[in-house]
Amino acid sequence: MKKIAFILFTIITSTILSQNNQKIISGHIYLDSIPVQDVHIINKKLDIGTVSNENGKFEILASKNDILIISHLNIEFKEQAITDKNISTKKINIFLDSKNYMLDEVVLERKKGIFEIDKDILPHNGPIVNAKTLKLPYANSKKPDKDNTVEIESGLSFSVVGLINALNGKTKQKKLLRKLKAEDKNIKKIRQYFTDGFFVQQLKIKRESINPFIEHCISKGIMNLFYKEKLLELTSVLIDNSKNSPYLIEKENTRVTQK
């Protein structure tokens, strides 16, 4: 009895499909040639639907001129018509476009500091807040005299006393520090290039006096020769300056012998 019912159901279904020319269409959903999963496909005429799998594949019942509605959260909504070719091949490939989201215009305002006071919420009869009421250490300090202040055309002003102190103090210290760093860098370059053996064995300079000797030779312009790669001239200058140098090993020995 069950077999007879199944045969009747198959015959009736086949008859309905043949009358409406409906077929099961196998298709794929692509986004930039990449299969897309979880895309909803709905036959608008038959009001039936399905969802694509991890390979972008789906199957749906359709006939010629049926409209398939394709939708996904991140993909542009699309309608696809079923053609004669889709019916004859029972296949369809649908290519989609990614969805673009338009954001509302955003106006960036100036950042407020933590000490900035909103005038709209400031009480009119509230307490006065300043250096004196807060008892800060500089509350009673006086402004510098106008005579000791210099103004330039740009509108910037500075204290003459402060300027002199800066020139005599920190500014000179910074310049001296930069000079010492530059000299130290130059000494390292010369010492690395010639090695200590050259100064001790060839020039007979005491090892502990190599740096003072190089510093003396830098004043003779050896760095200019070094950067221009005039190494023969540089070597000649070092040899000439080592002949009567107070840093020679022989001179140290001579002093010891005289004593």
Side-chain angles (χ1 to χ4, degrees), residues 122-139:
L122 186 67
H124 297 288
N125 297 321
I128 299 173
V129 179
N130 54 34
K132 286 186 178 181
T133 58
L134 294 175
K135 297 181 180 181
L136 297 177
Y138 58 84

Side-chain angles (χ1 to χ4, degrees), residues 62-75:
S63 59
K64 181 184 176 183
N65 296 327
D66 283 1
I67 302 298
L68 301 183
I69 298 173
I70 297 94
S71 65
H72 189 276
L73 181 63
N74 297 319
I75 297 173

Side-chain angles (χ1 to χ4, degrees), residues 58-191:
F58 69 92
E59 289 183 346
I60 194 166
L61 188 66
S63 59
K64 181 184 176 183
N65 296 327
D66 283 1
I67 302 298
L68 301 183
I69 298 173
I70 297 94
S71 65
H72 189 276
L73 181 63
N74 297 319
I75 297 173
E76 290 288 354
F77 175 86
K78 185 173 184 177
E79 292 186 353
Q80 182 83 23
I82 300 296
T83 63
D84 285 329
K85 184 178 179 181
N86 299 140
I87 296 298
S88 62
T89 60
K90 298 182 181 180
K91 292 182 180 180
I92 185 171
N93 290 327
I94 301 173
F95 296 89
L96 304 176
D97 297 320
S98 59
K99 186 179 289 185
N100 296 321
Y101 294 94
M102 296 297 294
L103 300 177
D104 295 333
E105 183 178 353
V106 177
V107 178
L108 298 177
E109 297 183 354
R110 180 179 64 85
K111 277 189 175 181
K112 292 185 177 182
I114 60 174
F115 298 108
E116 189 167 349
I117 300 173
D118 191 342
K119 294 181 180 179
D120 295 332
I121 63 173
L122 186 67
H124 297 288
N125 297 321
I128 299 173
V129 179
N130 54 34
K132 286 186 178 181
T133 58
L134 294 175
K135 297 181 180 181
L136 297 177
Y138 58 84
N140 297 318
S141 60
K142 296 181 180 180
K143 293 182 179 179
D145 296 336
K146 197 168 184 180
D147 295 338
N148 292 331
T149 304
V150 178
E151 294 185 0
I152 55 178
E153 293 182 358
S154 64
L156 179 68
S157 61
F158 53 87
S159 171
V160 174
V161 176
L163 177 62
I164 293 171
N165 289 336
L167 290 175
N168 291 336
K170 292 183 179 179
T171 304
K172 284 187 176 181
Q173 291 177 5
K174 288 181 179 179
K175 285 182 178 179
L176 179 60
L177 185 61
R178 284 198 297 268
K179 182 182 178 183
L180 292 174
K181 285 183 177 180
E183 289 179 354
D184 185 57
K185 189 181 292 185
N186 290 334
I187 289 172
K188 284 183 179 179
K189 287 180 180 179
I190 297 296
R191 194 160 179 171

